[in-house]
Amino acid sequence: MTLFDLKGKVAVVTGGNGGIGLGMARGLAQAGARIVVAARNPDKGRAAVTELEHLGTDAIFCAVDVANEASVEAMVQQTVGTFGGVDILVNNAGTNIRKQPQEYTLAEWHQVLDTNLTSAFLCSKAVHPLMTKAGRGKIINIGSMMSIFGASFAGPYAASKGGIVQLTKAMASAWARDHIQVNAVLPGWIDTELTQAARRQIPGLHERVVARTPDGRWGIGGDFAGIAVFLASPASDFITGTAIPVDGGYSVQG
Ligand code: NDP
């Protein structure tokens, strides 16, 4: 199916060493893309690379702090040095600190905003010249249900994820003429390291998510393989600036 064929393409997946990012990387690898797993933890990074190589593609781990401009530029240089370019960027790296809004320090605010939102700006800006020169590109930003809803324990997180949707629209508008499509994916509640911490901190969260999600379960990383391939492939060439929930119906439940 050439519509979904990613053979020869190069995909950088930030936070691709676990959770949703690794789920997306697996899908992209199965469609033929070569993968750069870009994150901080090298042990998890190497394990992810081994797994992706077993799917029959080339993959490398690239150590990066997505909140640091020099580190992001070095990541893009390493990718170009190894694979020759960047066709697909998945801005997936993220973090959360759960408190009431008045309890955050300024440093904590910046940590969440820089990791979740500024990172997407930095990584997209760094690959833009390559994509413009190539005459095409695909950028996938990861939002959240907190792009739509609020929660008492997610002030900076919700601000960053709301911002991701608006940044997606701005970049989509600016870069459409260069044939670079920019879309956002809004995960529902997904079972990853991030939410395992949330379940420990928020009593009753597990049951509330299952009760509210029409599909009756938490998502898993593998639920993101399909949307990654779709938004990275020619199948989505006339789709840009959207924010697509992948949430088992969580956001449409009245
Ligand atoms: P994980 O904690 O498994 O993944 C987060 C990833 O981000 C890790 O791979 C981590 O790697 C990487 N990361 C964090 N900070 C940095 C940094 N400064 N530089 C580079 N990499 C970094 O959680 P998820 O898979 O759940 O989260 C992935 C994305 O999905 C996030 O953007 C999250 O907000 C979003 N999301 C998750 C939901 C869920 O229910 N799980 C719901 C909605 C959105 P390392 O530590 O090695 O750097």
Side-chain angles (χ1 to χ4, degrees), residues 14-21 38-42 44 64-67 91-95 115-116 142-145 157 161 186-195 218:
T14 71
N17 59 355
I20 291 171
R40 294 167 305 178
N41 185 315
K44 281 174 62 186
V64 67
D65 177 358
V66 290
N91 286 313
N92 163 78
T95 193
T115 306
N116 295 0
I142 306 303
S144 163
M145 289 298 100
Y157 186 83
K161 294 299 186 180
L186 312 184
W189 285 92
I190 315 302
D191 186 11
T192 67
E193 280 182 20
L194 194 73
T195 47
W218 284 65

Side-chain angles (χ1 to χ4, degrees), residues 30 32 49 58 86 93 105-106 113 139 149 173 183 230:
Q30 281 168 326
V49 164
D58 292 332
V86 178
T105 64
L106 183 58
L113 267 290
I139 298 179
F149 303 115
S173 307
N183 289 289
F230 175 61

Side-chain angles (χ1 to χ4, degrees), residues 131-149:
M131 290 184 172
T132 305
K133 198 167 161 207
R136 61 178 191 281
K138 299 281 189 179
I139 298 179
I140 304 169
N141 296 324
I142 306 303
S144 163
M145 289 298 100
M146 296 298 151
S147 301
I148 309 171
F149 303 115

Side-chain angles (χ1 to χ4, degrees), residues 1-10 27-34 57 87-88 136 138 226 228-237:
M1 232 347 215
T2 54
L3 211 49
F4 298 103
D5 188 8
L6 299 179
K7 262 190 212 70
K9 302 289 184 193
V10 178
L28 296 172
Q30 281 168 326
R34 293 169 286 170
T57 195
D87 302 291
I88 300 153
R136 61 178 191 281
K138 299 281 189 179
V229 172
F230 175 61
L231 290 179
S233 69
S236 61
D237 276 355

